[in-house]
Amino acid sequence: WSDNIYRFSTMSGFSYYIWELYFSQQINLLIGKKNNFELGFGCTLPIVEPIQDGSNMSYLFFYRIGYRYQKEDGGMFFRIGFTPFSGRDLHPPKNWPVWPWGGITVGWMF
């Protein structure tokens, strides 16, 4: 790990969706210098969640595999990836469905 090809990054934040407030935490492994292969895992937990008809999820797990461009000295970064997520259904049959997803991010690193 001394050559700085392998690095970790973290992300945390809040999201809001139709009367629901969530907190997310994620950890990523970056492999590369400027052009990175990115692997990640995270969890989203409800902070405020309305009572629904029994179809809600208590928490979501999400995964990341993708490409990330980021300068070593910080500043703007760009990433694109496949980000499937899963969650435990709180009501019978209490299964773990998985939904395919993807995303593009433009952000600032400090």
Side-chain angles (χ1 to χ4, degrees), residues 3 17-18 21-23 47 54 58 67 77 90 93-94 99 107:
D3 56 7
Y17 177 73
I18 309 176
L21 182 62
Y22 296 93
F23 174 73
I47 296 173
S58 62
Y67 166 79
F77 73 91
L90 292 176
K94 295 191 179 188
W99 296 276

Side-chain angles (χ1 to χ4, degrees), residues 60-101:
L60 294 174
F61 293 104
F62 50 92
Y63 317 92
R64 174 178 302 281
I65 182 169
Y67 166 79
R68 179 172 178 156
Y69 173 80
Q70 172 180 313
K71 294 180 185 177
E72 289 186 58
D73 59 351
M76 194 167 111
F77 73 91
F78 166 80
R79 68 182 178 182
I80 186 167
F82 178 59
T83 58
F85 62 94
S86 64
R88 182 172 176 265
D89 193 340
L90 292 176
H91 302 280
K94 295 191 179 188
N95 56 11
W96 285 81
V98 176
W99 296 276
W101 206 256

Side-chain angles (χ1 to χ4, degrees), residues 14-33:
F14 296 92
S15 59
Y16 177 79
Y17 177 73
I18 309 176
W19 304 107
E20 299 174 10
L21 182 62
Y22 296 93
F23 174 73
S24 296
Q25 184 69 34
Q26 182 177 0
I27 186 165
N28 297 307
L29 170 64
L30 304 175
I31 303 170
K33 293 243 180 201

